[in-house]
Amino acid sequence: MKGSTYRRCSCRDPKTGKELGTSCPKRNSRNHCTYSIRQELPPREDSSRRSFARGGYTSLKAAQADLDHIRALLGLVESDDPEGTELIAAMLSEVSREKASLPDVEETRRRLNAGQDLIGSLTVSEWLDRWLEGKRIRKSGLNRYETDIRVHLKPHIGNRRLDRLRVSHLSDMFTAIADANAEILEQNAQRRAVVEELATVPWKGAEHRARRKAMKAAIDAMPPFCRVTGPATRLRVKATLRASLNDAISQQILTFNPAAHVELDPVRKPKALVWTDERVAKWQQTGEKPSPVMVWTPKQTGAFLDFVAEDRLYAMWHLIAFRGLRRGEACGQPWSETNLDTHSLTVSSQLVQDGWEVETSDPKTDSGFRVVALDNDTVNVLKRHRERQDADREEWGSAWVETGHVFTQEDGSWLHPGKVTDLFERLVAASSLPPIRLHDLRHGAATLMLAADIDIKIVSDTLGHSDTRITRDIYQSVLPHVGKNAAEATAKLVPLQRKAEEEKAARKAAKAAKKAKAKKNGKGGSKPRDKANPDAKSEKKSGEKARRK
């Protein structure tokens, strides 16, 4: 195809305003004119012409180099490859229009062979929008992705070209998030200090009222209280970006995922701790929980269930405490999947809270679909609950909302998971027991099963964990007596001479103490001889022999 380089003078006639062109008196000056190039490109599908044009070169050599570069790009495809020809032509046309740099020949060859976009001008923000639009997951998952993208990813890296995204860019993003956290904490502390000071200012008196007014104005001018982006949220943001870039790789838009290589601080999940007497005493003194995840002892669990025995949702608290259902699973459990005759229920659905809206959903993972065995007492509790629900149905009449769920509101409608959590917290506070979360009641069920020497696989299946390692990681801390029994059983396996001697000495001391006690009470020890009749013993033996004869 035709292509050429040429000199161009941009001087204009001061009277007419037209370019002087070849009539410019300075045209023959060495550094006066610039060079331009023009290369014909394959025509469009409608046979219209298109070309690559660019000017402003200071030398003929530079202009000729770019013209050769363009011809090398056009030579990447064979004449009998109309699709490839169109891709190269469209790329060069856009590069000319955007006045962008010419793409590398070898990189373009690789992209062309891999079926990737040749332009590479797609931004991270554009790709995230396209990726999110194509996701077909439940609404709560989409909202989580959308929040990560809107709050974190777009503001920090959204304007970067997708193909030029690097690990360093992501490291800078998470550094900026950490810096913002420090600023948020400082702003929260300042606002909290003023609010606390305002609470100490009396209401009465003109001076006090003026001071309160000024302080309220200062509070309104401060940034509102904000939550920091914690380690778990940062890992979630990284996971969102990594998933989106993996899809870009699968679509051959990228060949490298920088999100897979950025390093973040690990998140240490809190371990479940049992409310021992010592921890309860400290909590009563300070009001502080030893861990965010706390578990009741069997005695404390029994005390709570006795306290809420007359509560309308007692059966739910009982089921979670003994069988470890999740909150959403308990709220969404249907009667159709609850077989009291076979002492089992099947977890097949749940109620999911999205913001404050509630929707029904399948379990999050395949392991969430499971059959849970029920003990006799739990079956009897559910039977009594069903009788009470039937009575409520008759009382409400036509106003009853038939959802088919085991646990409902008074009129039969769905339970709101958030309201269930609030109710549980109020009941715990009223019971005067040490505080736990509703999800900790599930943790307690797992701990009780492990304490009862139930096989770890059965515990994992009952809880709906995908792997027994998850069960072990979460519930390493079990009830104290279980740990003590395990320690004693382990210690007995190792024979120690010191231990044998100590046990022998202990037995000897115990025997001596027993003899001393018996002697003191006159019930033990050797009988004294009859000094008045030393032959009494022999006479007694002779008499016994005579009687036997």
Side-chain angles (χ1 to χ4, degrees):
M1 292 185 178
K2 293 181 180 181
S4 61
T5 61
Y6 56 93
R7 294 183 69 187
R8 181 178 178 181
C9 176
S10 57
C11 295
R12 296 180 179 274
D13 188 326
K15 296 181 179 179
T16 63
K18 294 181 179 181
E19 290 187 357
L20 294 177
T22 56
S23 62
C24 178
K26 299 180 181 180
R27 180 177 175 81
N28 294 330
S29 299
R30 183 175 180 181
N31 296 325
H32 178 66
C33 296
T34 59
Y35 291 86
S36 299
I37 60 174
R38 179 177 295 276
Q39 173 65 52
E40 288 291 325
L41 300 177
R44 298 182 179 87
E45 293 182 359
D46 59 358
S47 300
S48 59
R49 295 178 61 187
R50 55 185 167 185
S51 63
F52 184 99
R54 179 165 294 180
Y57 296 97
T58 57
S59 67
L60 177 61
K61 184 177 180 180
Q64 186 62 49
D66 269 10
L67 185 61
D68 293 341
H69 192 156
I70 294 169
R71 289 171 176 172
L73 291 170
L74 289 171
L76 291 176
V77 293
E78 302 293 337
S79 58
D80 59 348
D81 183 8
E83 182 180 359
T85 300
E86 174 59 28
L87 290 173
I88 293 292
M91 176 195 71
L92 289 173
S93 180
E94 182 173 342
V95 169
S96 175
R97 182 172 62 255
E98 300 293 333
K99 298 181 179 181
S101 301
L102 288 170
D104 181 75
V105 176
E106 291 304 318
E107 176 66 13
T108 303
R109 187 197 306 277
R110 184 191 64 77
R111 286 173 173 267
L112 185 66
N113 294 336
Q116 298 176 353
D117 289 342
L118 301 184
I119 303 300
S121 60
L122 187 66
T123 65
V124 174
S125 180
E126 293 169 344
W127 166 249
L128 290 173
D129 288 339
R130 182 194 301 182
W131 174 75
L132 190 61
E133 185 178 354
K135 297 298 289 183
R136 295 293 180 266
I137 58 177
R138 60 184 183 181
K139 185 179 177 183
S140 59
L142 282 176
N143 288 345
R144 191 196 72 182
Y145 283 147
E146 189 276 333
T147 300
D148 293 340
I149 291 171
R150 172 175 50 83
V151 176
H152 300 289
L153 296 177
K154 281 188 175 182
H156 289 96
I157 59 173
N159 59 345
R160 293 190 177 277
R161 274 180 49 168
L162 183 64
D163 61 325
R164 295 180 182 176
L165 189 63
R166 298 291 179 263
V167 176
S168 60
H169 300 151
L170 304 187
S171 298
D172 292 342
M173 176 182 71
F174 287 112
T175 299
I177 291 175
D179 294 341
N181 282 344
E183 185 177 352
I184 290 172
L185 289 174
E186 183 178 355
Q187 292 173 350
N188 288 348
Q190 293 175 353
R191 185 181 181 93
R192 188 175 296 107
V194 178
V195 170
E196 291 175 354
E197 183 181 356
L198 177 62
T200 63
V201 179
W203 288 83
K204 296 182 178 180
E207 182 180 350
H208 293 318
R209 286 196 297 270
R211 185 183 175 192
R212 291 183 64 87
K213 183 177 180 181
M215 293 179 69
K216 287 182 179 180
I219 293 174
D220 293 339
M222 291 180 175
F225 286 116
C226 294
R227 296 177 60 184
V228 297
T229 304
T233 303
R234 292 197 291 271
L235 281 179
R236 191 187 68 194
V237 171
K238 174 186 173 181
T240 298
L241 181 61
R242 183 175 182 175
S244 67
L245 297 184
N246 279 338
D247 282 358
I249 291 175
S250 66
Q251 297 181 28
Q252 298 183 335
I253 298 174
L254 292 178
T255 59
F256 173 73
N257 189 339
H261 300 277
V262 65
E263 295 184 0
L264 296 179
D265 294 335
V267 177
R268 298 186 180 276
K269 294 184 178 181
K271 298 297 183 181
L273 297 180
V274 179
W275 274 116
T276 60
D277 293 340
E278 295 78 9
R279 289 168 180 159
V280 172
K282 185 177 179 180
W283 164 73
Q284 291 173 342
Q285 292 176 357
T286 64
E288 297 179 358
K289 293 173 60 176
S291 171
V293 182
M294 297 302 298
V295 178
W296 280 333
T297 63
K299 182 178 179 181
Q300 292 164 343
T301 301
F304 174 76
L305 293 178
D306 289 339
F307 179 79
V308 298
E310 300 303 322
D311 186 74
R312 193 179 61 84
L313 294 178
Y314 169 79
M316 173 183 283
W317 314 132
H318 182 101
L319 186 63
I320 296 176
F322 283 96
R323 296 285 79 195
L325 265 67
R326 297 178 177 90
R327 179 186 69 172
E329 294 169 347
C331 292
Q333 179 64 29
W335 279 115
S336 60
E337 297 296 335
T338 306
N339 194 328
L340 301 183
D341 294 331
T342 60
H343 287 59
S344 67
L345 61 82
T346 302
V347 178
S348 59
S349 62
Q350 62 178 337
L351 293 185
V352 179
Q353 184 175 336
D354 181 22
W356 194 246
E357 299 296 324
V358 179
E359 61 181 6
T360 184
S361 173
D362 293 335
K364 187 176 181 180
T365 61
D366 291 339
S367 56
F369 289 90
R370 63 194 188 279
V371 177
V372 178
L374 303 176
D375 58 278
N376 290 332
D377 186 44
T378 301
V379 168
N380 292 331
V381 167
L382 289 173
K383 286 181 178 179
R384 291 193 294 271
H385 175 77
R386 183 165 57 186
E387 292 173 358
R388 182 171 181 174
Q389 190 180 73
D390 292 340
D392 290 341
R393 183 184 289 104
E394 293 181 2
E395 182 178 351
W396 280 82
S398 60
W400 176 265
V401 180
E402 190 59 62
T403 60
H405 287 178
V406 176
F407 307 110
T408 65
Q409 297 190 53
E410 291 84 347
D411 63 348
S413 57
W414 281 359
L415 282 174
H416 193 292
K419 294 181 179 180
V420 170
T421 297
D422 294 340
L423 174 60
F424 178 79
E425 291 177 352
R426 292 196 299 270
L427 291 173
V428 172
S431 69
S432 300
L433 289 166
I436 67 169
R437 306 169 305 162
L438 177 56
H439 198 71
D440 295 340
L441 202 59
R442 165 180 162 87
H443 292 328
T447 305
L448 291 173
M449 283 187 277
L450 292 174
D453 292 330
I454 305 298
D455 184 81
I456 189 69
K457 175 61 177 174
I458 297 177
V459 177
S460 181
D461 292 343
T462 302
L463 297 175
H465 290 160
S466 58
D467 196 317
T468 57
R469 287 175 296 182
I470 299 175
T471 312
R472 291 190 182 95
D473 290 343
I474 297 176
Y475 305 111
Q476 285 181 347
S477 174
V478 295
L479 298 177
H481 72 272
V482 179
K484 182 178 183 301
N485 293 340
E488 293 290 352
T490 303
K492 289 179 180 179
L493 295 177
V494 181
L496 294 175
Q497 183 65 29
R498 171 187 54 79
K499 187 187 298 184
E501 292 176 354
E502 290 176 352
E503 291 177 353
K504 184 178 179 180
R507 287 196 299 269
K508 186 176 180 180
K511 186 176 180 180
K514 184 178 180 182
K515 283 185 177 181
K517 184 177 180 182
K519 186 175 181 179
K520 182 178 179 181
N521 296 333
K523 296 182 179 180
S526 59
K527 294 183 178 180
R529 289 187 176 184
D530 191 351
K531 295 181 179 179
N533 188 6
D535 297 329
K537 184 176 182 181
S538 59
E539 292 177 357
K540 184 178 180 181
K541 288 184 177 180
S542 299
E544 290 179 354
K545 289 181 179 180
R547 283 195 299 271
R548 284 199 297 269
K549 289 179 179 181

